[in-house]
Amino acid sequence: MSTVSDETHGRYSWLRQVRIIQGGMGVAISGWRLARAVASHRACMGVVSGTALDSVVARRLQDGDTGGHLRRAIEAFPDQGVAGRVLDRFFVPMGKKVGTPYRRVGMQTHVERPLVRDLTVLAAFVEVVLAREGHRGRVGINLLTKVKAPTLPTLYGAMLAGVDCILMGAGIPREIPGVLDAFAEGRGASLRLLDGPITDELAPLLRFDPEGVGYGAAQLPRPAFLPIVSADSLAAMLLRRSTGSVEGFIVEGPLAGGHNAPPRGRTVLDETGQPVYGERDQADTARMAELGLPFWLAGATGSPESLTAAREAGATGIQVGTLFAFSRESGMDPELRVKILRDAREGGSEVRTDPRASSTGYPFKVVQVEGSVAVPEVYEARPRVCDNGYLREPVSTGGGSITYRCAAEPVAAYVAKGGSEEDAAGRRCLCNGLLATCGHPQVQKDGTVEPPIVTSGDDLGRLVGLLPAGRDDYGADDVIRYLTGAAAAL
Ligand SMILES: Cc1cc2nc3c(=O)[nH]c(=O)nc-3n(C[C@H](O)[C@H](O)[C@H](O)COP(=O)(O)O)c2cc1C
């Protein structure tokens, strides 16, 4: 069926040895510390999140780069002119004063701004360099297909650092394999800015050209590409229609943390307002196996029994997120992490699949934790601000002009750009919320400290059952020992 050769028996044969993939978790939940800890285990791949890395690295630098890890990795960047400009702009020795705002990176669009482009490349480079230190295991990076503007520089920075694998879901990443081929051969690459049929021939493209920057490389290793899919039909389509080779798939079910695919067919909500999933939302593993490429099952598959079942169903292994998201090496703010574990043990910390929380329109799993925007009063009290803009949707206004809008931005601004009030209702600002969850909340002009939003898979309840009584601290090592059957609990 496919014109794509299966190189997983050749160049990418290592993929077939990987039993456990640690899920890419944004924003900065799966940072370099977690990915490094996982990747140092045999048959495991660590994955850093590539989402909003420009802001993450800019904010870590403004917090003083404790331990000097970022600056150590930045020293390895092939263009020290760029490194110097980024440090001049964002590094604050000893860290910014408590209660003061972070200097913003600026919202990314199709119009290239060299400093933001270079910061994005450098940020991905740094994250992957640090994740790869001290072991010979495999490291991947996860990007959301929907987040368009930073994609090319993020991929390029990760490739410059020798990333082994690119994982992309939340959309149909059909054009990415061709981009990886181009970058590997030192060529520039483009991505369409607008999804769907071409309605404006003049619509701009996103473009990144290695020859136009001082750190461009004539050749780079081409990482494996694993799209994240919810249905075998989407996997088959990607094999047929991608712009280059696909090396395998993550098959993610509706119990996974983060964004979920909507139910197939018309969305029906249960009495608690959550989408109802059924048989049709389970990918057919026999059909996946027929495609002939390795695949991993994700979504509440974090147990030794699920690993065995996945292998019996023809999968190479599992992808696990939630169990790692609450481990010591996670990038989640430690106070928040421990609070959620304690609440969950006492029967609180319910995880809801919220069909409205994310401006993307995809259902998003939200932990109902005090102090977060999951709580209606906290949500209502937060003035709407859009100052990061990763999830803004580009909309053509004709003749090559583009406007960017997000259903979580101030309602009047959204409506002025053609959005509807109805669509804006209940949307949470994931950019600010998730940046707060990883410990870098923005302080807004009116003094508002951005509240967090926490996502988790349905496995959170089972996770606390695996922790010995009174314990709320465990490591990625404990998760791997448990998953491989070497220990009965965490
Ligand atoms: C805290 C958290 C954040 C996540 N963020 C992302 C993300 O940014 N991109 C993505 O593709 N998947 C994301 N996921 C999904 C994971 O990569 C993984 O597929 C999923 O967690 C597996 O299911 P599990 O949570 O039941 O283990 C996230 C999951 C969690 C728990």
Side-chain angles (χ1 to χ4, degrees):
M1 61 173 319
S2 157
T3 55
V4 182
S5 70
D6 175 7
E7 281 216 61
T8 59
H9 292 292
R11 192 164 31 144
Y12 302 109
S13 59
W14 59 270
L15 270 176
R16 293 192 181 267
Q17 314 301 318
V18 176
R19 297 287 171 268
I20 299 166
I21 299 181
Q22 163 250 309
M25 299 180 281
V27 168
I29 299 300
S30 63
W32 60 267
R33 280 194 175 81
L34 178 58
R36 183 198 282 178
V38 173
S40 52
H41 288 265
R42 207 179 61 79
C44 296
M45 177 158 73
V47 178
V48 295
S49 167
T51 306
L53 267 182
D54 51 345
S55 287
V56 169
V57 167
R59 292 187 186 192
R60 286 184 190 148
L61 287 172
Q62 292 176 72
D63 285 336
D65 183 25
T66 321
H69 301 292
L70 298 182
R71 280 163 294 157
R72 186 175 74 250
I74 288 173
E75 273 176 26
F77 192 68
D79 184 338
Q80 285 300 299
V82 164
R85 282 193 288 281
V86 167
L87 288 173
D88 283 349
R89 190 157 177 87
F90 294 108
F91 178 52
V92 179
M94 314 300 288
K96 76 171 181 71
K97 275 210 205 89
V98 178
T100 59
Y102 286 104
R103 175 182 274 232
R104 290 175 177 79
V105 163
M107 296 200 261
Q108 298 209 29
T109 67
H110 59 281
V111 181
E112 192 169 82
R113 283 185 299 143
L115 183 73
V116 179
R117 174 200 63 202
D118 294 345
L119 165 66
T120 309
V121 175
L122 179 70
F125 174 85
V126 162
E127 197 71 357
V128 173
V129 162
L130 291 173
R132 291 186 70 212
E133 265 182 3
H135 61 84
R136 299 174 64 183
R138 301 289 178 170
V139 168
I141 189 168
N142 171 296
L143 280 81
L144 294 172
T145 310
K146 282 227 166 214
V147 177
K148 291 263 170 68
T151 297
L152 293 174
T154 306
L155 290 173
Y156 198 74
M159 284 178 67
L160 269 182
V163 76
D164 295 296
C165 187
I166 308 291
L167 303 95
M168 286 180 73
I172 303 176
R174 206 181 60 78
E175 296 171 285
I176 301 300
V179 170
L180 304 181
D181 292 338
F183 288 170
E185 293 161 12
R187 291 184 283 115
S190 304
L191 277 183
R192 281 183 64 198
L193 180 64
L194 303 172
D195 290 329
I198 296 171
T199 50
D200 179 1
E201 297 284 344
L202 301 173
L205 294 174
L206 296 162
R207 172 113 196 130
F208 182 88
D209 222 323
E211 285 182 349
V213 293
Y215 44 82
Q219 266 192 329
L220 288 170
R222 198 267 197 195
F225 182 59
L226 305 182
I228 303 167
V229 298
S230 58
D232 44 276
S233 53
L234 177 56
M237 186 280 261
L238 277 164
L239 263 187
R240 277 197 310 272
R241 307 237 341 255
S242 288
T243 54
S245 73
V246 169
E247 278 66 50
F249 296 96
I250 308 292
V251 183
E252 197 180 75
L255 301 179
H259 284 97
N260 301 134
R264 300 186 79 180
R266 198 173 62 83
T267 297
V268 176
L269 303 181
D270 67 13
E271 67 284 359
T272 65
Q274 303 185 76
V276 179
Y277 291 91
E279 281 281 297
R280 291 174 65 202
D281 299 301
Q282 299 301 325
D284 184 330
T285 47
R287 290 228 187 95
M288 285 302 307
E290 278 167 22
L291 297 177
L293 292 181
F295 64 99
W296 292 260
L297 300 183
T301 57
S303 68
E305 297 77 26
S306 295
L307 176 54
T308 306
R311 299 271 305 152
E312 283 168 6
T316 301
I318 51 178
Q319 175 173 276
V320 176
T322 299
L323 263 53
F324 289 113
F326 294 91
S327 71
R328 197 179 302 135
E329 292 87 350
S330 158
M332 194 181 296
D333 178 75
E335 257 179 54
L336 196 54
R337 168 166 63 82
V338 169
K339 176 170 174 32
I340 291 170
L341 287 177
R342 289 187 183 159
D343 285 359
R345 183 177 281 125
E346 284 154 24
S349 286
E350 183 206 351
V351 178
R352 273 180 59 82
T353 307
D354 191 327
R356 295 208 62 83
S358 170
S359 61
T360 63
Y362 283 84
F364 187 66
K365 285 230 164 37
V366 183
V367 182
Q368 306 300 299
V369 60
E370 215 180 276
S372 75
V373 287
V375 177
E377 296 76 42
V378 177
Y379 168 66
E380 299 294 345
R382 174 191 176 269
R384 282 192 176 217
V385 179
C386 181
D387 54 352
N388 300 290
Y390 295 102
L391 291 173
R392 289 187 311 164
E393 170 198 16
V395 183
S396 166
T397 52
S401 295
I402 299 291
T403 184
Y404 287 83
R405 71 184 186 213
C406 175
E409 74 180 311
V411 179
Y414 183 61
V415 171
K417 290 182 258 182
S420 73
E421 248 176 72
E422 196 190 359
D423 194 26
R427 304 292 183 190
R428 270 56 177 172
C429 173
L430 295 196
C431 295
N432 272 304
L434 293 173
L435 280 162
T437 302
C438 66
H440 306 294
Q442 183 58 287
V443 180
Q444 299 293 2
K445 269 203 205 97
D446 65 355
T448 304
V449 179
E450 285 290 351
I453 186 163
V454 183
T455 182
S456 165
D458 287 20
D459 248 0
L460 178 60
R462 203 173 56 81
L463 158 62
V464 288
L466 293 170
L467 282 169
R471 204 172 137 201
D472 42 36
D473 182 64
Y474 63 96
D477 287 13
D478 296 315
V479 176
I480 291 163
R481 267 200 296 276
Y482 164 67
L483 292 175
T484 54
L490 293 175

